[in-house]
Amino acid sequence: MLNIYLCEDDPQQRQYYATVIADILQKTTDEETKLFQTDNPHDILRVAKRPLLNKEQRLYFLDIHLAADIDGMQLASAIRQIDTVSEIVFLTTDTEQMPVAFRLQLKALDYLLKDQSETVLIDAFSRCIEKLQGNTTPSKPLFQIRVGRQQIRYPFEEVMFICTNGKKGVLELHTRQACEEFRGTIRELLAQYPLLLQIHQGIVINPDNVIRMDDHQRFLTLRNGEKCEISYRYRRKVLAKLSA
């Protein structure tokens, strides 16, 4: 059983998102699913405090900039204090808030940018809902690193980018929720993981997690809110890949 909770203070946007979600559910599932919408974050908190029923899944779509006594980030933090398993998706026009959610360890499933085209936004809602329904395509290969004596595996979709950090033979892996140092080289990574895209001599990214490209300033914004510089040398290659 999937229960979806939408908290958005703009009445027109809330109704639009509710219609989009209802249309997706009608097309993708026959199971019992409920959609609850409100502009009051305390309504959401009352729901979050209820114990999860057997086989119940909860998906929260939260506007970051709520016109209330608590905003979307504070609401998500309160939810996480009592519910660590349900999924949270942020609705925002402000990519600068994404690193804040990262630092607060809110374990967001996704960040949906409100100013995207209707088609892109609908696809984004569908992606989030289908992840919980289990109707997504097979996952991409795992990304594996060794940290000390530990072998750590991440779903490839969690990888944002990998970069050098000034230490010889050491790279930094940036995922949705973590940053890890490990030994290796950019050349070795590109040979082992052809899905990665090099955008700088010392940076490779997961192109599936790019949400915005500024060709004038030559930087990319990743799904976790971090930004990466595109070197002039790789500009054409990056443009061709992301425009495909």
Side-chain angles (χ1 to χ4, degrees):
M1 178 173 63
L2 174 60
N3 290 326
I4 298 177
Y5 302 93
L6 169 64
C7 191
E8 165 64 62
D9 58 0
D10 183 299
Q12 289 185 324
Q13 288 187 345
R14 185 172 66 252
Q15 185 56 51
Y16 170 66
Y17 298 148
T19 301
V20 168
I21 293 169
D23 288 345
I24 293 169
L25 294 175
Q26 187 175 19
K27 295 174 183 176
T28 61
T29 184
D30 294 325
E31 65 176 309
E32 183 182 357
T33 307
K34 295 180 180 178
L35 169 61
F36 176 79
Q37 55 173 304
T38 182
D39 62 351
N40 187 344
H42 296 284
D43 290 341
I44 299 295
L45 279 179
R46 279 190 285 272
V47 168
K49 291 176 181 177
R50 299 174 190 163
L52 283 165
L53 301 175
N54 185 35
K55 296 185 179 180
E56 179 188 4
Q57 292 179 297
R58 293 176 185 171
L59 173 57
Y60 298 94
F61 288 99
L62 308 179
D63 177 22
I64 285 183
H65 298 290
L66 292 170
D69 58 331
I70 59 173
D71 62 24
M73 288 290 185
Q74 293 168 317
L75 173 57
S77 183
I79 291 172
R80 279 289 172 250
Q81 291 177 23
I82 52 181
D83 182 355
T84 61
V85 298
S86 297
E87 299 289 0
I88 294 174
V89 176
F90 288 113
L91 303 168
T92 182
T93 56
D94 184 6
T95 58
E96 298 298 327
Q97 291 295 317
M98 296 180 190
V100 177
F102 176 81
R103 290 195 299 271
L104 293 175
Q105 299 184 340
L106 298 178
K107 299 179 182 178
L109 175 66
D110 213 335
Y111 304 84
L112 305 191
L113 295 177
K114 294 182 178 183
D115 55 0
Q116 297 181 103
S117 69
E118 182 176 12
T119 300
V120 172
L121 196 58
I122 291 173
D123 286 345
F125 272 103
S126 296
R127 181 177 65 246
C128 294
I129 292 170
E130 289 174 1
K131 280 183 179 179
L132 268 72
Q133 292 174 333
N135 294 332
T136 53
T137 56
S139 59
K140 294 178 180 177
L142 294 174
F143 186 88
Q144 183 171 290
I145 61 174
R146 180 175 289 278
V147 179
R149 296 183 177 181
Q150 289 185 313
Q151 200 78 19
I152 303 177
R153 297 182 177 90
Y154 293 92
F156 193 84
E157 64 183 13
E158 294 291 319
V159 174
M160 299 293 126
F161 67 96
I162 303 101
C163 64
T164 56
N165 66 357
K167 300 177 184 179
K168 187 175 180 180
V170 177
L171 300 174
E172 272 186 9
L173 166 65
H174 291 243
T175 67
R176 284 180 182 269
Q177 305 292 344
C179 178
E180 296 278 5
E181 286 189 351
F182 66 101
R183 301 200 65 82
T185 66
I186 295 293
R187 179 177 294 182
E188 290 170 348
L189 284 183
L190 290 170
Q192 189 174 358
Y193 299 100
L195 291 173
L196 294 172
L197 174 64
Q198 188 165 16
I199 66 169
H200 190 281
Q201 184 175 353
I203 306 173
V204 293
I205 65 165
N206 179 354
D208 288 345
N209 283 327
V210 174
I211 60 172
R212 182 166 292 169
M213 177 174 177
D214 187 326
D215 186 35
H216 178 66
Q217 298 291 332
R218 296 212 314 273
F219 68 79
L220 300 173
T221 301
L222 284 303
R223 199 173 293 281
N224 67 346
E226 294 189 271
K227 295 180 180 180
C228 293
E229 178 187 359
I230 308 168
S231 73
Y232 187 78
R233 175 183 176 185
Y234 293 98
R235 176 179 170 275
R236 287 189 179 180
K237 179 181 177 182
V238 173
L239 277 171
K241 176 67 176 179
L242 297 181
S243 301

